[in-house]
Amino acid sequence: MNTPVEGFSRLSKAEKIDWIASNFTKDAERTKQLLQQYWNPDKKVQKVHDEFIENTVSNYYLPFALAPNFLINDKLYAIPMVIEESSVVAAASKAAKFWLNRGGFKTAVIGTEKVGQVHFIFKGDSNKLQGFFDEIKPDFFKNTKSITQSMEKRGGGIKEILLRNMSDKVEGYHQLHCTFETKDAMGANFINSCLEQFASTLKVRASAYESFTTEEQDIEVVMSILSNYVPNCLVRAEVSCAVDALTEDGISAKEFAEKIIQAIAIAKAEPYRAVTHNKGIMNGVDAVILATGNDFRAIEAGIHAYASKDGPYSSLTHATVEGDVFKFWIEIPLALGTVGGLTSLHPLVKLALEILQNPSAEELMQIVAVAGLAQNFAAVRSLVTTGIQKGHMKMHLLNLLNQMGATENEKQQLVQYFKTNTVTNASVKEALEKIQSE
Ligand code: MEV
């Protein structure tokens, strides 16, 4: 059995690799070679990556792709996407092209409010607490001046601080519910720094507040942290066209529109479907979030919470036919940054932002929402017409051939062959074996 390691973080990279290779892998030499193979030959670039996190031993590549022809508010974009799943980028590009000739995507930012909370326990008189809060509220702003100054210069800062009594849920539980504007920064550090200062002000002022009993003076701060649930940091993206313009192979425009409406209605009514429906949206959202160096876990958590804001988990996209107009839209919360964090560190993130014409955070919100909407349109379009597997397996063909060890020449022949034949695991294996035996 392996023994625990002491002081792992202090080992050099080579020592870490030696340790993992010899203790946890069958072929230490192969492990070392593999980890090294993924290093960047440019030492400076490698160092940047090494320093993002702790204990790095290599890099983990994901494809960086482009989905062109996105017309958003009459401006053309090529959207960078980082994702491992085949057919996502192809689907996005196909949806972009479909809507390019039908007016493109229209978007609007509905709100940009970020949230953070100081959670604390106060088991005394709630009215006294409210009076205390009202009295010391200006101090929350005053004591965070050194943190908020530069954010205020950029038009951001603390918007509001509210006291909330939550003691019906947890004994003595109260909170400072705080809202922020962080402009082009995602703002996590700014918000958390403000919150920790609010917590300190709360504690210090309470301890000297004469109307409190000794017990009341001892406010217990449990934690101070931003929330990734940002229902007022919201963006909307929409496409619309005359029903007749919704042309699709093998189906009338009217029937196609009806099927899309039904598919959305099902995703609204049935959480099992809604989760997969929204997963398809996240294929587009996450791919742009990753390419632009934003925090996809935060975005995922916030968006899924939003999907159940009215109770049951439901569809993030909506569709209507009114008169002869088909409308399809998405509304999602997105707390994004285009400055700070990885955005100025990761060379490919910088490039992704440049490709997107250096968007503000609000512009990036709109682009990401479009990627989510396009992805959903593409998925629903396939689902209600040909089924998803036809396109998916075509895109997956190269993965299968690579897994089966096909040569470049064999791949070329088989890509050609499967243009007119159905791709399945078995059919690809059989076709490969056939040309190998010839
Ligand atoms: C696959 O990654 C995503 C889909 O399942 C989405 C959907 O079903 O809407 C195709």
Side-chain angles (χ1 to χ4, degrees):
M1 206 181 97
N2 294 309
T3 49
V5 59
E6 283 291 330
F8 185 69
S9 65
R10 291 191 297 278
L11 298 182
S12 69
K13 192 198 254 186
E15 287 166 335
K16 287 183 183 110
I17 291 175
D18 269 345
W19 179 81
I20 197 76
S22 48
N23 286 298
F24 287 86
T25 68
K26 283 198 200 88
D27 183 343
E29 270 322 299
R30 186 196 57 95
T31 304
K32 287 185 205 174
Q33 256 174 28
L34 191 61
L35 291 173
Q36 265 183 37
Q37 198 181 331
Y38 281 85
W39 286 353
N40 196 294
D42 181 333
K43 285 209 167 89
K44 268 199 346 230
V45 175
Q46 185 52 53
K47 194 162 168 354
V48 169
H49 289 269
D50 283 346
E51 291 177 356
F52 286 154
I53 59 167
E54 312 74 35
N55 297 343
T56 46
V57 289
S58 192
N59 305 308
Y60 183 102
Y61 292 178
L62 282 177
F64 179 108
L66 294 169
N69 298 326
F70 272 94
L71 186 64
I72 307 176
N73 300 335
D74 301 322
K75 192 168 158 185
L76 259 185
Y77 290 88
I79 301 188
M81 300 179 91
V82 169
I83 190 160
E84 87 299 346
E85 184 175 333
S86 49
S87 80
V88 167
V89 177
S93 310
K94 217 172 144 194
K97 208 149 178 210
F98 184 95
W99 288 106
L100 181 64
N101 305 320
R102 291 168 177 82
F105 295 81
K106 301 283 180 240
T107 60
V109 169
I110 299 168
T112 55
E113 184 181 275
K114 315 273 171 72
V115 178
Q117 296 170 320
V118 177
H119 307 271
F120 66 94
I121 304 293
F122 175 86
K123 291 188 182 158
D125 180 338
S126 288
N127 289 331
K128 267 203 268 173
L129 181 67
Q130 185 65 54
F132 162 73
F133 171 78
D134 293 340
E135 202 177 308
I136 70 155
K137 191 169 169 182
D139 280 9
F140 291 129
F141 292 88
K142 210 168 75 202
N143 297 348
T144 42
K145 265 280 156 267
S146 62
I147 309 168
T148 56
Q149 235 161 23
S150 69
M151 185 60 87
E152 278 166 8
K153 274 195 201 124
R154 288 185 271 138
I158 304 160
K159 286 178 75 174
E160 180 56 298
I161 306 171
L162 299 173
L163 172 68
R164 283 182 174 171
N165 183 347
M166 313 281 285
S167 55
D168 58 329
K169 299 194 168 67
V170 175
E171 195 193 353
Y173 173 30
H174 291 74
Q175 59 173 236
L176 300 181
H177 181 87
C178 316
T179 47
F180 302 86
E181 170 57 58
T182 60
K183 302 309 276 183
D184 287 336
M186 193 272 182
N189 284 329
F190 168 74
I191 293 172
N192 287 332
S193 300
C194 287
L195 294 172
E196 289 186 4
Q197 184 56 52
F198 296 162
S200 156
T201 300
L202 185 74
K203 255 196 103 57
V204 170
R205 291 298 308 267
S207 67
Y209 193 63
E210 284 176 1
S211 310
F212 280 162
T213 62
T214 317
E215 200 191 319
E216 286 171 337
Q217 284 180 338
D218 192 20
I219 281 180
E220 185 192 335
V221 172
V222 181
M223 56 193 162
S224 311
I225 186 74
L226 96 171
S227 172
N228 291 124
Y229 186 45
V230 281
N232 295 324
C233 190
L234 202 61
V235 59
R236 179 187 161 108
E238 180 186 303
V239 285
S240 67
C241 66
V243 171
D244 286 349
L246 211 60
T247 45
E248 176 63 334
D249 288 346
I251 184 171
S252 78
K254 190 161 173 283
E255 201 186 339
F256 184 35
E258 272 164 16
K259 286 204 161 190
I260 295 175
I261 301 273
Q262 282 166 346
I264 303 295
I266 290 168
K268 282 184 191 241
E270 162 59 284
Y272 278 93
R273 173 56 201 149
V275 170
T276 316
H277 179 92
N278 290 347
K279 186 274 180 188
I281 293 171
M282 298 314 290
N283 279 344
V285 169
D286 280 343
V288 189
I289 295 294
L290 271 170
T292 56
N294 276 278
D295 179 346
F296 66 92
R297 287 86 56 209
I299 297 304
E300 284 272 348
I303 289 185
H304 292 300
Y306 190 76
S308 47
K309 70 177 189 326
D310 300 321
Y313 188 90
S314 184
S315 169
L316 292 160
T317 51
H318 314 270
T320 54
V321 171
E322 277 169 23
D324 68 347
V325 176
F326 170 80
K327 208 183 258 187
F328 181 55
W329 72 100
I330 190 168
E331 218 177 74
I332 43 173
L334 283 170
L336 301 179
T338 52
V339 298
L342 270 199
T343 55
S344 53
L345 292 174
H346 196 306
L348 285 176
V349 167
K350 277 201 256 182
L351 179 64
L353 289 168
E354 188 186 332
I355 291 170
L356 291 174
Q357 301 162 53
N358 293 316
S360 64
E362 288 195 28
E363 283 164 342
L364 184 59
M365 285 168 78
Q366 298 171 69
I367 294 164
V368 171
V370 164
L373 183 68
Q375 211 65 47
N376 185 236
F377 179 78
V380 171
R381 180 185 187 184
S382 303
L383 286 167
V384 302
T385 54
T386 56
I388 208 77
Q389 278 312 85
K390 190 168 171 235
H392 189 79
M393 290 308 282
K394 274 244 145 83
M395 294 298 166
H396 192 50
L397 176 62
L398 277 182
N399 285 346
L400 290 176
L401 289 171
N402 283 336
Q403 271 164 26
M404 293 172 194
T407 63
E408 283 310 310
N409 183 26
E410 288 162 354
K411 281 195 254 181
Q412 264 174 28
Q413 286 184 55
L414 290 170
V415 165
Q416 209 47 41
Y417 171 78
F418 280 107
K419 281 196 170 141
T420 49
N421 289 280
T422 307
V423 178
T424 65
N425 252 317
S427 67
V428 174
K429 190 160 178 277
E430 194 183 320
L432 179 62
E433 280 167 3
K434 185 155 177 268
I435 56 170
Q436 281 172 340
S437 68
E438 273 162 10

